[in-house]
Amino acid sequence: MPINIRRFEESPPEDLRASGRTNAEEILSFLASSPDQAYTPKEIHEATEVKRGSVGVVLSRLEERGLLRHRGDYWAIAADADVEKTLSSMSTARAASERLGVEDTDEW
């Protein structure tokens, strides 16, 4: 949703975050906020409101990218994950897709 230029120019950057984060962003942000804790998928679902059926898939994908780790039923942020950089990249990609659309590679 667009904002007026006055708000854009006068608001502090932390007040200008677009809503509508992806499930991966929600889960990664939640786990990064407590790097000394590990959570079950159910706890992650309850804390983030990401649909229960989506939590496991997102956790697995984030682990494949080296951002999360897990043991047994518990998941935590990876010790060496650059969460801020990753979240910034995800946000930038989402914003570009929203603005420019998704390219149809089938036409190639």
Side-chain angles (χ1 to χ4, degrees):
M1 171 187 287
I3 59 173
N4 69 46
I5 198 67
R6 182 176 176 172
R7 179 174 175 210
F8 171 80
E9 291 174 342
E10 295 176 1
S11 296
E14 60 272 10
D15 290 349
L16 297 177
R17 302 215 186 273
S19 59
R21 297 190 321 177
T22 65
N23 290 342
E25 289 171 298
E26 289 292 337
I27 290 173
L28 191 57
S29 293
F30 169 70
L31 292 174
S33 71
S34 301
D36 57 338
Q37 300 289 318
Y39 298 88
T40 65
K42 181 181 179 195
E43 293 167 330
I44 294 167
H45 157 70
E46 291 170 352
T48 63
E49 297 184 7
V50 170
K51 291 182 182 180
R52 181 71 176 97
S54 298
V55 171
V57 173
V58 172
L59 290 171
S60 294
R61 288 181 181 161
L62 292 172
E63 181 186 31
E64 288 172 5
R65 294 180 182 149
L67 298 168
L68 299 183
R69 56 195 164 129
H70 87 279
R71 293 183 67 166
D73 293 333
Y74 288 87
W75 293 80
I77 199 77
D80 59 348
D82 189 347
V83 176
E84 291 301 319
K85 182 178 180 181
T86 300
L87 286 172
S88 177
S89 296
M90 291 171 131
S91 177
T92 299
R94 180 175 27 83
S97 293
E98 288 171 0
R99 180 166 167 82
L100 304 173
V102 178
E103 188 170 325
D104 185 2
T105 57
D106 290 338
E107 294 178 4
W108 296 358

